[in-house]
Amino acid sequence: MTVPAPSSVPGSTVTSLGSAHVLLTGGTGFVGQAILERLLSSHPDTTVTLLIRPKAGTSALARLRHLLKKPVFASWRERVGADEVERALTERLRVVESSLGALPALPSDLDVVIHSASTVSFDPPIDQAFDTNVGGAVGLYEALVAAGGDPHVVHVSTAYVGGIRKGVFPEAALRHDVDWRAEHAAARDARARVEAASRQPETLRGFLAEGRAGHGKTGPQAVAAAAEEARVAWVAARLVDYGRTRAETLGWTDVYTLTKAFAERAAEQIWAAEGHRLSVVRPAIVESALRHPYPGWIDGFKVADPLIMSYARGLLPEFPGVPDSVLDIVPVDYVVNVILAVAANPAGASSARDDDAVDAAAGAAAPASAPEPQYFHVASGNSNPFPILRMFDNLKTFFTANPLPRDEHTNIPVPTWDFPGVRKVEGAIRTAQRANDWRERVLVRLPSTTRTRTALTGVQTRRADLESLQSLTDLYRHYVQSEIIFDDRRTRALHDGLPEEAPADIGFDVTDIDWEDYFQTVHFPSITAMTRAFSVRPAAAGAVLDARALPQRTDVVAVFDLEGTVLDSNIVEQYLWVRSNGFRKAAWPAEVASLLTGLPAYLRAEGRDRGEFIRAFLRRYAGMPVSRLKGVVRSAGYAETVRRHTLPEALARIAEHRAAGHRTVLVTGSIGTLATPIAHLFDEVVASTMHERDGVLTGYLAQPPLVDEARAAWLAQWALEEGIDLTGSYGYGDSHADLAWLEMLGNPSAVNPDANLAREALRRRWSIRDWSRARGSSASGTSTAPAVGTTSKGEGDRV
């Protein structure tokens, strides 16, 4: 469908802003950077005031200096030289340090205001979208009214303020009677309502249950942190859903277009209705530059680019769009050219005015009867349509010839779309997510091996890919099924009025764009160049093994867990080692039967809390004389059993740390006496002790077991007292219960990890080490083998 353009007068469009004083908002954003570059390079007599928010301890002026070093300004910098750049910073550019929500007094001598600031997200929480897009516009226009001047305001909106509709959308004010002020107030109240709902007991119990399921073995603080993290995520998700749902009930695609529509109404009511000049520029999907400042310039991924790169990475096996739907794209330099042409040609101005006409408006009072606001669509769908099917052809052509690498040896094949429709695509995503979740549940119950960890990494990667695909489908469903046509006759008339001698790169005739050339030689190469460094994914195993030589230091520690890390055993096996030394054979059947009977209870305790399991199991030592336990531990048989189960790679790593001058500490939640045969390998042994009465063990611990968060608390205090640098220190553990103290260290390693610790280690890119005992080997054959009965400082005691 094509809307005919009206006739225009050649040479009637003014191309210069003269010496106008321009206020620019959003100057650090994508479109804002391009506007500022054009003002500096093509309108050298202008003065520009920028609203810039200080950020992360960086002042607004410092942010501007950094901004001018970006690629968009490179040609201008090279052409004018360093002295002129500095002069521009001191004479032409002025900074107002403020966010849109809290504006100081604005200059009263402004000639033009270009308001391009807005949120860059389609789907933010509803209160954030309203505060940025609506609240920002309200704050700006109220500040302009208070300043007392009469600048021509160019309000940069989006063509998609038209909402969910079919057919031609005219270049005119939006027709709706929604009370935008009431909607703004409701949006701001939404957070308080959702926050309150998230703190209701029934909701909090769900978060706690989720936290216990995932982090119960790590400790109560980890459970609480996970529960609060889940609550915050729940609040954010609800507020995003509020925005999406409210927008659709009012006829808009999402909360972004809804709030941009309300920002237009704020500009009309607060500024234009008071007799001031207002022009609204509505770009469609803004992408990389066609010509200026250079072909392909872009600042980060824009609207269409996540879809493009997801296709290139093979993550879009199908597409939820309609093949004949128009993908309305326009290069950023065309958008900037329209904005500045509109700025130089306010409604009601004579077409014969000279370049200084803008200056004459400075400080002038508002006219008694200002012209109606004017609206301009910067879009291609009407004059040079580019349907989704044609985009697919371009994608397939480019990424077949220029595939992204999968790894060092293979490339990613690109899919072929059949366009089955959004329902089938979403159904396929849900099915794939359920299958992936089931696979993860199976894997975390299997023994942790290199093979299962590789599979688990694949599950995590698949989940991220499916979540990304679902997010893309949710965000873009309306844009890729759109049947709206943006009337652009006013914009075409503005272009047709450009003087014949005007430079080609200030034009904005979209019919001049060859889409195949633009995508194949300009846009696709530009965005793939940004991603080359990230396009090769890590190997499927995902584990990182730090094989660097240990640095020589005396202010760091290497902390080793005992069971499963230094010994390939657990406290159950240690108990059997003790019992087997001097235990009457006739008593074995009853002992085994007792162990088997208690096994289900022990497993449940282990699943809930490591400390609970240790307490429960160590009760089996009740009634054993202390002298007998010590005698067993000193025996050659027990010592040989311990050495036989000591992992050779653990011994080698301990020796490396000691050779590097590091403190070595063995930590166990079990009885310290049981570690006596290997205690001399460490500078410290930190373990539990058992309560005794009259020389007999009662089965109770003298103090709580040093596991999970208790171990982390001990480590923090001990490091402080001993002057240890934890950020340079090392840790070796095998259980998810070790997560709390491992994450305190700068160099954590998961050794033979259980499935849950393996999952965390893969996610955090920690070292994963598979240490095994060679069959028939014995630690006694090494130079580090201890003598029977050797003890260590702090044996059986907590330091």
Side-chain angles (χ1 to χ4, degrees):
M1 182 185 304
T2 302
V3 180
S7 62
S8 57
V9 180
S12 63
T13 299
V14 176
T15 59
S16 173
L17 288 169
S19 57
H21 183 183
V22 180
L23 173 68
L24 174 63
T25 73
T28 58
F30 175 45
V31 174
Q33 290 179 50
I35 295 171
L36 179 58
E37 191 280 336
R38 267 298 194 180
L39 290 171
L40 290 171
S41 64
S42 301
H43 300 271
D45 296 325
T46 56
T47 299
V48 184
T49 294
L50 297 105
L51 289 182
I52 300 180
R53 181 178 68 252
K55 189 176 183 180
T58 304
S59 69
L61 181 58
R63 289 190 67 194
L64 175 59
R65 284 186 173 276
H66 176 73
L67 180 70
L68 294 182
K69 296 176 182 179
K70 298 187 75 169
V72 65
F73 300 99
S75 295
W76 170 71
R77 291 196 309 266
E78 292 171 5
R79 179 166 57 84
V80 303
D83 291 343
E84 178 61 23
V85 171
E86 190 60 31
R87 189 192 73 80
L89 276 164
T90 56
E91 297 180 18
R92 287 190 61 192
L93 299 177
R94 304 172 186 176
V95 174
V96 174
E97 191 168 276
S98 175
S99 62
L100 284 173
L103 289 179
L106 296 178
S108 61
D109 64 341
L110 295 171
D111 303 308
V112 175
V113 173
I114 302 175
H115 176 43
S116 70
S118 72
T119 181
V120 296
S121 172
F122 279 174
D123 224 12
I126 188 171
D127 60 320
Q128 293 180 14
F130 268 84
D131 283 347
T132 302
N133 289 342
V134 181
V138 170
L140 174 64
Y141 297 128
E142 288 181 344
L144 288 174
V145 170
D150 181 36
H152 172 208
V153 168
V154 180
H155 179 101
V156 183
S157 185
T158 173
Y160 291 95
V161 292
I164 305 171
R165 68 175 69 204
K166 297 180 179 182
V168 176
F169 174 41
E171 292 175 297
L174 290 170
R175 299 178 62 181
H176 69 82
D177 57 2
V178 180
D179 185 343
W180 63 270
R181 294 183 187 274
E183 293 296 328
H184 189 186
R188 302 187 75 171
D189 291 342
R191 179 169 291 275
R193 296 195 302 272
V194 174
E195 288 279 1
S198 75
R199 290 174 168 83
Q200 294 301 308
E202 58 274 17
T203 312
L204 291 174
R205 278 191 286 270
F207 301 144
L208 273 174
E210 182 181 335
R212 290 193 185 101
H215 301 274
K217 291 183 67 174
T218 308
Q221 288 301 308
V223 170
E228 178 61 11
E229 183 179 343
R231 187 196 69 80
V232 171
W234 184 86
V235 168
R238 287 293 294 270
L239 290 171
V240 168
D241 187 53
Y242 264 47
R244 182 186 301 128
T245 305
R246 184 55 180 150
E248 291 186 2
T249 60
L250 291 173
W252 276 273
T253 55
D254 48 46
V255 74
Y256 170 75
T257 57
L258 174 73
T259 52
K260 292 292 281 186
F262 290 168
E264 284 191 15
R265 189 53 44 89
E268 293 160 356
Q269 293 183 357
I270 299 173
W271 185 248
E274 295 300 315
H276 300 288
R277 294 163 296 166
L278 172 68
S279 298
V280 178
V281 176
R282 295 171 176 160
I285 299 172
V286 186
E287 290 293 346
S288 62
L290 179 62
R291 299 189 183 96
H292 189 89
Y294 55 83
W297 174 76
I298 195 169
D299 188 58
F301 279 165
K302 302 308 160 194
V303 174
D305 303 333
L307 290 172
I308 294 169
M309 295 312 301
S310 293
Y311 175 83
R313 289 184 170 126
L315 305 182
L316 281 178
E318 262 304 342
F319 192 65
V322 176
D324 59 5
S325 178
V326 171
L327 190 63
D328 207 311
I329 286 177
V330 62
V332 64
D333 47 339
Y334 277 47
V335 175
V336 172
N337 291 346
V338 173
I339 290 170
L340 295 181
V342 168
N345 293 269
S350 169
S351 62
R353 65 183 182 166
D354 59 25
D355 290 348
D356 294 328
V358 177
D359 302 326
S369 178
E372 290 295 315
Q374 53 184 358
Y375 301 82
F376 299 86
H377 287 160
V378 193
S380 60
N382 177 50
S383 301
N384 190 4
F386 186 68
I388 294 289
L389 181 60
R390 194 168 159 195
M391 170 61 99
F392 165 68
D393 291 338
N394 273 270
L395 285 169
K396 190 170 182 63
T397 297
F398 182 84
F399 289 108
T400 298
N402 305 277
L404 295 186
R406 183 191 302 280
D407 51 43
E408 294 180 356
H409 307 290
T410 61
N411 294 322
I412 301 173
V414 292
T416 297
W417 290 340
D418 293 323
F419 300 98
V422 66
R423 290 184 180 86
K424 288 187 178 180
V425 171
E426 290 183 336
I429 294 172
R430 288 193 295 269
T431 299
Q433 287 174 330
R434 286 193 293 268
N436 199 60
D437 290 344
W438 176 85
R439 191 169 185 231
E440 182 181 39
R441 288 194 295 270
V442 171
L443 287 171
V444 296
R445 286 166 172 77
L446 295 176
S448 177
T449 64
T450 300
R451 185 174 179 179
T452 58
R453 288 198 296 272
T454 299
L456 192 59
T457 302
V459 165
Q460 293 174 326
T461 300
R462 179 66 170 158
R463 172 181 292 109
D465 291 345
L466 289 169
E467 288 175 352
S468 175
L469 182 55
Q470 182 65 64
S471 176
L472 290 173
T473 302
D474 290 341
L475 285 176
Y476 294 106
R477 67 169 70 238
H478 295 298
Y479 298 92
V480 297
Q481 300 179 81
S482 175
E483 296 183 40
I484 190 171
I485 300 295
F486 303 115
D487 178 13
D488 61 347
R489 69 183 68 196
R490 188 190 297 269
T491 303
R492 282 186 283 149
L494 191 66
H495 174 273
D496 292 342
L498 290 172
E500 293 182 0
E501 67 276 11
D505 69 352
I506 71 167
F508 40 91
D509 182 2
V510 293
T511 63
D512 286 343
I513 302 173
D514 180 331
W515 289 119
E516 275 65 32
D517 181 68
Y518 172 73
F519 283 108
Q520 299 297 318
T521 68
V522 177
H523 188 61
F524 291 162
S526 175
I527 62 172
T528 54
M530 291 193 298
T531 61
R532 284 296 176 187
F534 309 100
S535 58
V536 178
R537 291 191 173 185
V544 176
L545 182 59
D546 187 353
R548 293 174 299 178
L550 296 174
Q552 292 287 328
R553 295 183 63 173
T554 58
D555 63 337
V556 299
V557 66
V559 182
F560 290 81
D561 184 41
L562 177 62
E563 295 83 10
T565 303
V566 175
L567 299 182
D568 69 339
S569 67
N570 53 49
I571 66 172
V572 176
E573 290 179 282
Q574 293 168 22
Y575 171 76
L576 293 176
W577 297 345
V578 171
R579 284 298 195 184
S580 65
N581 281 268
F583 204 88
R584 293 182 298 108
K585 291 184 178 179
W588 269 110
E591 186 67 23
V592 172
S594 175
L595 268 174
L596 292 175
T597 301
L599 186 60
Y602 293 145
L603 290 175
R604 287 194 296 272
E606 170 71 7
R608 289 189 299 268
D609 184 283
R610 178 72 176 168
E612 180 182 343
F613 164 70
I614 290 173
R615 290 186 181 94
F617 191 83
L618 292 185
R619 291 292 303 276
R620 304 189 71 88
Y621 286 91
M624 179 180 290
V626 175
S627 59
R628 180 181 174 187
L629 177 62
K630 291 182 177 180
V632 167
V633 169
R634 286 194 298 268
S635 70
Y638 178 84
E640 177 59 27
T641 300
V642 171
R643 286 196 292 267
R644 191 168 60 250
H645 285 270
T646 303
L647 298 173
E649 288 161 300
L651 292 173
R653 192 62 172 170
I654 295 165
E656 288 178 37
H657 280 292
R658 300 194 78 170
H662 303 173
R663 297 276 289 276
T664 54
V665 175
L666 179 69
V667 187
T668 175
S670 186
I671 308 169
T673 304
L674 301 178
T676 297
I678 59 171
H680 79 293
L681 299 174
F682 301 92
D683 296 304
E684 308 282 348
V685 174
V686 184
S688 298
T689 56
M690 293 201 72
H691 179 262
E692 57 184 82
R693 183 181 295 118
D694 300 327
V696 177
L697 299 177
T698 64
Y700 297 102
L701 291 172
Q703 291 176 298
L706 203 64
V707 293
D708 50 66
E709 289 176 353
R711 189 176 296 183
W714 165 81
L715 181 57
Q717 183 64 30
W718 180 81
L720 182 65
E721 294 172 352
E722 298 291 325
I724 295 295
D725 174 18
L726 292 182
T727 62
S729 293
Y730 301 78
Y732 303 86
D734 71 304
S735 168
H736 193 240
D738 297 323
L739 183 63
W741 63 272
L742 283 174
E743 65 185 3
M744 297 172 59
L745 302 167
N747 303 282
S749 290
V751 179
N752 306 327
D754 62 26
N756 287 317
L757 179 60
R759 180 167 53 186
E760 282 298 312
L762 289 166
R763 185 176 69 84
R764 300 170 188 237
R765 303 289 288 161
W766 288 356
S767 290
I768 295 181
R769 301 173 185 269
D770 291 299
W771 291 349
S772 60
R773 176 168 56 96
R775 294 301 173 188
S777 68
S778 171
S780 60
T782 69
S783 61
T784 57
V788 173
T790 301
T791 62
S792 170
K793 173 186 174 182
E795 175 197 338
D797 297 321
R798 182 172 304 157
V799 177

